[in-house]
Amino acid sequence: MGQKIGQIAQKYSDRKLIFRLWHEMNGCWYYYGCQPDAFKSAWNQVLDASGRPPNVAFAWAPNAGNVGDGPDFYSNYWPDNNHLPDIVATSIYWKDEQNGINAPYQPQRDPINAVQVLHDHFSAGYGIPFFYAETAYGFLQGLGGDDFTVKTQWYRRLYSADAKKALPMLKGIMWFEYLKYEDNYNKDFRLLYDGNIASQFAQDLKSYGLPLDLGYDSTPPPPATTNQAPSTAPSSTDASSITTVVSSSTSVVTSVNGTLLTITAPVNATSTSGHPKATSTSSTHTRAYPSTWPTSLPTNAVPLNLRNHCWAKNRQ
Protein backbone atom coordinates (compact mmCIF):
# COMPACT_ATOMS: atom_id res chain seq x y z
CA MET A 1 0.00 0.00 0.00
CA GLY A 2 2.77 2.42 0.88
CA GLN A 3 4.41 2.04 -2.51
CA LYS A 4 1.03 2.54 -4.19
CA ILE A 5 0.51 5.75 -2.24
CA GLY A 6 3.92 6.92 -3.39
CA GLN A 7 2.94 6.20 -6.99
CA ILE A 8 -0.36 8.07 -6.61
CA ALA A 9 1.47 11.01 -5.06
CA GLN A 10 3.85 11.13 -7.99
CA LYS A 11 1.01 10.89 -10.52
CA TYR A 12 -0.82 13.77 -8.83
CA SER A 13 2.26 15.73 -7.85
CA ASP A 14 0.49 19.03 -8.51
CA ARG A 15 -2.09 18.28 -5.82
CA LYS A 16 -2.17 17.84 -2.07
CA LEU A 17 -3.38 14.43 -0.91
CA ILE A 18 -4.65 13.12 2.40
CA PHE A 19 -4.81 9.40 3.19
CA ARG A 20 -6.83 8.28 6.19
CA LEU A 21 -5.50 4.84 7.06
CA TRP A 22 -7.69 2.28 8.88
CA HIS A 23 -10.07 4.82 10.31
CA GLU A 24 -11.92 4.16 13.59
CA MET A 25 -9.33 1.51 14.41
CA ASN A 26 -10.15 1.77 18.13
CA GLY A 27 -13.62 0.34 17.43
CA CYS A 28 -14.26 -3.34 16.78
CA TRP A 29 -16.73 -3.00 13.88
CA TYR A 30 -14.06 -3.26 11.16
CA TYR A 31 -11.92 -6.33 10.54
CA TYR A 32 -8.80 -4.38 11.53
CA GLY A 33 -10.31 -2.84 14.66
CA CYS A 34 -9.22 -3.30 18.29
CA GLN A 35 -5.73 -4.47 17.29
CA PRO A 36 -3.45 -1.63 18.41
CA ASP A 37 -0.12 -3.39 17.87
CA ALA A 38 -1.10 -4.59 14.40
CA PHE A 39 -2.38 -1.13 13.54
CA LYS A 40 0.82 0.63 14.56
CA SER A 41 2.96 -1.90 12.73
CA ALA A 42 0.94 -1.50 9.53
CA TRP A 43 0.89 2.29 9.91
CA ASN A 44 4.68 2.41 10.20
CA GLN A 45 5.16 0.12 7.21
CA VAL A 46 2.89 2.18 4.97
CA LEU A 47 4.46 5.50 5.93
CA ASP A 48 7.97 4.13 5.43
CA ALA A 49 7.16 2.48 2.09
CA SER A 50 5.45 5.63 0.80
CA GLY A 51 8.59 7.70 1.28
CA ARG A 52 6.45 10.42 2.90
CA PRO A 53 5.94 12.41 -0.33
CA PRO A 54 5.77 16.18 0.27
CA ASN A 55 2.29 16.41 -1.27
CA VAL A 56 0.83 13.67 0.97
CA ALA A 57 -0.58 14.00 4.47
CA PHE A 58 -1.50 10.96 6.56
CA ALA A 59 -4.53 11.24 8.84
CA TRP A 60 -4.71 9.27 12.07
CA ALA A 61 -8.42 8.93 12.76
CA PRO A 62 -9.81 7.06 15.78
CA ASN A 63 -13.48 7.04 16.64
CA ALA A 64 -14.36 9.68 19.22
CA GLY A 65 -15.02 8.55 22.75
CA ASN A 66 -17.58 10.01 25.10
CA VAL A 67 -17.18 12.92 27.47
CA GLY A 68 -14.98 11.71 30.31
CA ASP A 69 -12.82 9.31 28.29
CA GLY A 70 -9.15 10.06 28.85
CA PRO A 71 -6.06 9.82 26.61
CA ASP A 72 -5.83 6.07 27.29
CA PHE A 73 -8.90 5.63 25.09
CA TYR A 74 -6.63 6.47 22.13
CA SER A 75 -3.01 6.19 23.23
CA ASN A 76 -2.55 2.48 22.45
CA TYR A 77 -2.98 3.38 18.77
CA TRP A 78 -0.74 6.46 18.74
CA PRO A 79 2.31 6.06 16.46
CA ASP A 80 5.88 6.56 17.62
CA ASN A 81 7.63 9.88 17.16
CA ASN A 82 9.22 8.76 13.88
CA HIS A 83 5.81 8.07 12.34
CA LEU A 84 3.61 10.88 13.60
CA PRO A 85 0.55 11.73 11.48
CA ASP A 86 0.08 14.96 9.57
CA ILE A 87 -3.54 15.24 10.70
CA VAL A 88 -5.39 14.07 13.80
CA ALA A 89 -8.97 13.28 12.77
CA THR A 90 -12.02 11.63 14.27
CA SER A 91 -15.55 10.39 13.64
CA ILE A 92 -18.43 11.47 15.85
CA TYR A 93 -22.20 11.14 15.35
CA TRP A 94 -25.44 11.32 17.24
CA LYS A 95 -27.90 8.51 16.51
CA ASP A 96 -30.20 7.23 19.23
CA GLU A 97 -31.21 3.83 17.89
CA GLN A 98 -30.97 2.35 21.39
CA ASN A 99 -33.94 4.39 22.54
CA GLY A 100 -35.59 4.54 19.12
CA ILE A 101 -36.18 8.29 19.21
CA ASN A 102 -35.10 11.43 17.39
CA ALA A 103 -34.10 13.78 20.17
CA PRO A 104 -31.36 16.35 20.68
CA TYR A 105 -27.97 14.82 21.34
CA GLN A 106 -27.10 14.00 24.92
CA PRO A 107 -24.31 15.72 26.90
CA GLN A 108 -22.04 12.66 26.93
CA ARG A 109 -21.86 12.87 23.14
CA ASP A 110 -21.42 16.61 22.80
CA PRO A 111 -19.43 17.03 19.56
CA ILE A 112 -16.99 19.47 21.16
CA ASN A 113 -16.57 18.09 24.66
CA ALA A 114 -16.34 14.49 23.47
CA VAL A 115 -13.28 15.24 21.32
CA GLN A 116 -11.57 17.64 23.72
CA VAL A 117 -9.04 15.13 25.04
CA LEU A 118 -8.26 13.89 21.54
CA HIS A 119 -7.72 17.45 20.35
CA ASP A 120 -5.71 18.64 23.36
CA HIS A 121 -3.49 15.63 23.91
CA PHE A 122 -2.79 14.47 20.37
CA SER A 123 -3.52 17.42 18.06
CA ALA A 124 -2.58 20.53 20.04
CA GLY A 125 -0.09 18.54 22.12
CA TYR A 126 1.94 17.69 19.01
CA GLY A 127 1.09 20.75 16.93
CA ILE A 128 -0.91 18.71 14.39
CA PRO A 129 -4.08 20.00 12.63
CA PHE A 130 -7.40 18.56 13.76
CA PHE A 131 -10.25 17.38 11.49
CA TYR A 132 -13.72 16.01 11.94
CA ALA A 133 -13.29 13.26 9.34
CA GLU A 134 -16.92 12.13 9.71
CA THR A 135 -19.78 13.77 11.53
CA ALA A 136 -23.56 14.12 11.27
CA TYR A 137 -26.84 13.66 13.12
CA GLY A 138 -28.37 10.29 12.23
CA PHE A 139 -32.12 10.93 11.97
CA LEU A 140 -34.11 7.68 12.33
CA GLN A 141 -36.71 7.63 9.57
CA GLY A 142 -40.26 6.64 10.44
CA LEU A 143 -40.11 7.65 14.10
CA GLY A 144 -41.26 11.24 13.79
CA GLY A 145 -39.45 14.20 15.23
CA ASP A 146 -38.08 17.40 13.77
CA ASP A 147 -34.99 16.73 11.66
CA PHE A 148 -34.49 20.43 10.91
CA THR A 149 -34.05 21.30 14.57
CA VAL A 150 -31.79 18.44 15.59
CA LYS A 151 -29.56 18.61 12.51
CA THR A 152 -29.06 22.37 12.62
CA GLN A 153 -28.41 22.13 16.36
CA TRP A 154 -25.65 19.58 15.71
CA TYR A 155 -23.82 21.47 12.99
CA ARG A 156 -24.19 24.86 14.66
CA ARG A 157 -22.51 23.44 17.72
CA LEU A 158 -19.48 22.57 15.58
CA TYR A 159 -19.30 26.10 14.13
CA SER A 160 -19.96 27.87 17.40
CA ALA A 161 -17.69 30.27 19.23
CA ASP A 162 -17.31 27.50 21.83
CA ALA A 163 -15.79 25.23 19.18
CA LYS A 164 -13.38 27.90 18.01
CA LYS A 165 -12.22 28.52 21.58
CA ALA A 166 -12.05 24.87 22.64
CA LEU A 167 -10.53 23.45 19.43
CA PRO A 168 -7.99 25.97 18.09
CA MET A 169 -6.35 23.30 15.90
CA LEU A 170 -9.60 22.53 14.05
CA LYS A 171 -9.01 22.93 10.31
CA GLY A 172 -11.67 20.85 8.57
CA ILE A 173 -15.12 19.30 8.94
CA MET A 174 -16.46 16.54 6.73
CA TRP A 175 -20.20 15.88 6.79
CA PHE A 176 -21.41 12.33 6.25
CA GLU A 177 -23.99 12.95 3.53
CA TYR A 178 -25.60 9.55 3.51
CA LEU A 179 -28.89 7.68 3.91
CA LYS A 180 -27.76 4.45 5.54
CA TYR A 181 -29.60 1.31 6.67
CA GLU A 182 -28.09 0.33 9.98
CA ASP A 183 -29.30 -1.37 13.16
CA ASN A 184 -32.77 -1.95 11.64
CA TYR A 185 -33.26 1.74 10.87
CA ASN A 186 -32.93 3.97 7.85
CA LYS A 187 -30.63 6.63 9.26
CA ASP A 188 -30.68 9.90 7.38
CA PHE A 189 -27.42 11.71 8.01
CA ARG A 190 -27.88 14.11 5.10
CA LEU A 191 -27.91 17.89 5.27
CA LEU A 192 -28.47 18.59 1.58
CA TYR A 193 -31.37 16.35 0.58
CA ASP A 194 -34.07 18.34 2.33
CA GLY A 195 -34.45 21.81 0.84
CA ASN A 196 -35.14 23.58 4.15
CA ILE A 197 -32.12 22.12 5.91
CA ALA A 198 -29.86 22.55 2.89
CA SER A 199 -30.84 26.18 2.43
CA GLN A 200 -30.27 26.94 6.11
CA PHE A 201 -26.92 25.14 6.03
CA ALA A 202 -25.80 27.20 3.03
CA GLN A 203 -26.94 30.45 4.66
CA ASP A 204 -25.26 29.63 7.95
CA LEU A 205 -21.95 28.70 6.35
CA LYS A 206 -21.99 31.87 4.30
CA SER A 207 -22.54 33.88 7.49
CA TYR A 208 -19.51 32.14 9.01
CA GLY A 209 -17.37 32.99 5.98
CA LEU A 210 -16.67 29.30 5.33
CA PRO A 211 -16.11 27.72 1.88
CA LEU A 212 -18.08 24.79 0.50
CA ASP A 213 -18.35 23.58 -3.10
CA LEU A 214 -21.72 22.12 -4.10
CA GLY A 215 -22.71 20.28 -7.25
CA TYR A 216 -26.24 20.24 -8.58
CA ASP A 217 -28.41 17.73 -10.39
CA SER A 218 -31.45 18.77 -12.40
CA THR A 219 -33.63 16.11 -10.72
CA PRO A 220 -36.73 17.66 -9.09
CA PRO A 221 -36.42 17.95 -5.30
CA PRO A 222 -38.29 15.58 -2.98
CA PRO A 223 -41.59 16.64 -1.40
CA ALA A 224 -41.23 19.19 1.35
CA THR A 225 -41.08 17.83 4.89
CA THR A 226 -42.67 19.27 7.98
CA ASN A 227 -39.60 21.08 9.21
CA GLN A 228 -39.64 24.25 11.19
CA ALA A 229 -39.00 27.49 9.38
CA PRO A 230 -35.31 28.42 9.20
CA SER A 231 -34.16 30.32 12.23
CA THR A 232 -31.50 32.97 12.56
CA ALA A 233 -27.96 31.67 12.30
CA PRO A 234 -25.61 32.14 15.25
CA SER A 235 -23.01 34.85 14.99
CA SER A 236 -19.96 34.27 12.83
CA THR A 237 -17.09 32.37 14.40
CA ASP A 238 -14.58 34.07 12.07
CA ALA A 239 -13.29 30.57 11.33
CA SER A 240 -12.11 31.26 7.80
CA SER A 241 -9.40 28.61 8.10
CA ILE A 242 -11.98 25.85 8.55
CA THR A 243 -13.15 24.08 5.43
CA THR A 244 -16.45 22.28 5.15
CA VAL A 245 -17.26 19.42 2.82
CA VAL A 246 -20.35 17.32 2.42
CA SER A 247 -19.67 13.82 1.18
CA SER A 248 -21.16 10.35 0.91
CA SER A 249 -17.73 8.77 1.00
CA THR A 250 -14.98 8.38 3.55
CA SER A 251 -12.82 10.32 1.10
CA VAL A 252 -13.71 13.85 0.14
CA VAL A 253 -12.84 16.87 -1.93
CA THR A 254 -12.26 20.06 -0.02
CA SER A 255 -9.87 22.92 0.41
CA VAL A 256 -7.94 24.19 3.37
CA ASN A 257 -6.50 27.69 3.32
CA GLY A 258 -7.04 27.93 -0.41
CA THR A 259 -5.42 24.67 -1.51
CA LEU A 260 -7.70 22.24 -3.31
CA LEU A 261 -7.22 18.62 -4.29
CA THR A 262 -9.26 16.22 -6.34
CA ILE A 263 -8.23 12.68 -7.28
CA THR A 264 -11.13 10.76 -8.81
CA ALA A 265 -14.89 11.09 -8.94
CA PRO A 266 -17.71 8.93 -10.28
CA VAL A 267 -18.90 11.88 -12.34
CA ASN A 268 -17.03 14.49 -14.34
CA ALA A 269 -16.54 17.70 -12.42
CA THR A 270 -16.15 20.94 -14.29
CA SER A 271 -14.83 23.81 -12.26
CA THR A 272 -16.12 27.34 -12.62
CA SER A 273 -14.01 28.74 -9.82
CA GLY A 274 -10.49 27.97 -10.93
CA HIS A 275 -10.30 24.65 -9.11
CA PRO A 276 -8.75 21.55 -10.70
CA LYS A 277 -11.11 19.27 -12.58
CA ALA A 278 -11.94 15.88 -11.10
CA THR A 279 -11.05 12.92 -13.28
CA SER A 280 -13.38 10.01 -13.91
CA THR A 281 -13.78 6.88 -15.97
CA SER A 282 -17.58 7.01 -15.99
CA SER A 283 -20.00 9.87 -16.13
CA THR A 284 -23.71 10.30 -15.62
CA HIS A 285 -23.76 13.99 -14.72
CA THR A 286 -21.70 17.10 -15.20
CA ARG A 287 -20.98 18.76 -11.90
CA ALA A 288 -20.19 22.43 -11.73
CA TYR A 289 -18.73 24.07 -8.65
CA PRO A 290 -19.99 27.62 -8.11
CA SER A 291 -17.44 30.37 -7.64
CA THR A 292 -19.62 32.17 -5.11
CA TRP A 293 -21.80 30.97 -2.28
CA PRO A 294 -25.55 30.79 -2.93
CA THR A 295 -27.70 32.42 -0.28
CA SER A 296 -30.04 29.50 -0.76
CA LEU A 297 -30.12 26.38 -2.87
CA PRO A 298 -32.03 26.51 -6.19
CA THR A 299 -35.63 25.44 -5.73
CA ASN A 300 -35.43 23.20 -8.80
CA ALA A 301 -32.14 21.54 -7.98
CA VAL A 302 -31.03 18.79 -5.62
CA PRO A 303 -27.39 18.85 -4.50
CA LEU A 304 -25.38 15.86 -5.63
CA ASN A 305 -23.38 13.94 -3.12
CA LEU A 306 -19.63 14.44 -3.41
CA ARG A 307 -18.31 10.92 -3.79
CA ASN A 308 -14.92 9.28 -3.93
CA HIS A 309 -12.90 12.43 -3.67
CA CYS A 310 -9.98 13.20 -1.43
CA TRP A 311 -9.15 15.99 0.99
CA ALA A 312 -6.63 18.69 0.40
CA LYS A 313 -4.50 20.64 2.80
CA ASN A 314 -1.27 22.52 2.95
CA ARG A 315 1.04 19.96 4.47
CA GLN A 316 2.80 21.51 7.40
Side-chain angles (χ1 to χ4, degrees), residues 40-308:
K40 288 186 290 187
S41 176
W43 173 277
N44 292 350
Q45 290 177 28
V46 169
L47 267 62
D48 289 342
S50 73
R52 301 299 294 267
N55 62 322
V56 168
F58 289 96
W60 179 80
N63 196 61
N66 290 320
V67 174
D69 288 330
D72 290 346
F73 187 76
Y74 312 99
S75 58
N76 287 340
Y77 299 86
W78 184 245
D80 62 67
N81 287 338
N82 293 323
H83 298 88
L84 292 178
D86 302 292
I87 293 172
V88 171
T90 194
S91 304
I92 185 167
Y93 296 90
W94 178 252
K95 42 188 179 179
D96 199 2
E97 65 273 9
Q98 292 181 346
N99 295 316
I101 57 175
N102 290 308
Y105 65 86
Q106 297 301 304
Q108 75 273 13
R109 203 62 180 161
D110 179 87
I112 299 174
N113 297 336
V115 304
Q116 192 73 66
V117 168
L118 181 62
H119 170 277
D120 293 353
H121 190 83
F122 299 99
S123 175
Y126 286 84
I128 299 172
F130 185 76
F131 272 64
Y132 286 95
E134 297 181 30
T135 190
Y137 183 106
F139 191 81
L140 308 180
Q141 290 190 338
L143 297 182
D146 178 13
D147 57 342
F148 180 91
T149 296
V150 293
K151 287 184 177 181
T152 54
Q153 179 192 48
W154 181 264
Y155 77 68
R156 286 175 174 174
R157 177 65 173 153
L158 291 175
Y159 295 115
S160 67
D162 289 342
K164 180 182 178 183
K165 181 178 180 180
L167 309 173
M169 298 299 290
L170 177 60
K171 300 299 180 183
I173 300 173
M174 183 182 112
W175 293 95
F176 191 71
E177 185 71 1
Y178 214 97
L179 176 62
K180 181 180 181 181
Y181 184 77
E182 180 182 62
D183 301 322
N184 298 317
Y185 289 103
N186 282 322
K187 298 179 183 178
D188 193 349
F189 297 94
R190 299 170 297 180
L191 290 173
L192 301 185
Y193 190 67
D194 179 275
N196 290 335
I197 300 173
S199 178
Q200 189 63 52
F201 185 53
Q203 291 180 47
D204 284 355
L205 287 183
K206 182 181 179 182
S207 74
Y208 306 148
L210 299 178
L212 172 65
D213 281 342
L214 297 177
Y216 298 107
D217 187 359
S218 59
T219 307
T225 60
T226 56
N227 294 319
Q228 293 182 357
S231 57
T232 303
S235 59
S236 171
T237 63
D238 190 29
S240 58
S241 64
I242 299 176
T243 295
T244 299
V245 64
V246 181
S247 175
S248 64
S249 169
T250 54
S251 299
V252 301
V253 58
T254 185
S255 62
V256 176
N257 296 332
T259 299
L260 184 125
L261 157 74
T262 312
I263 296 182
T264 59
V267 299
N268 289 334
T270 304
S271 172
T272 61
S273 57
H275 296 329
K277 180 180 178 181
T279 59
S280 174
T281 56
S282 62
S283 175
T284 56
H285 299 280
T286 298
R287 180 177 298 160
Y289 297 97
S291 57
T292 58
W293 256 105
T295 56
S296 62
L297 300 181
T299 57
N300 63 343
V302 176
L304 288 172
N305 293 331
L306 301 179
R307 299 177 182 143
N308 299 331

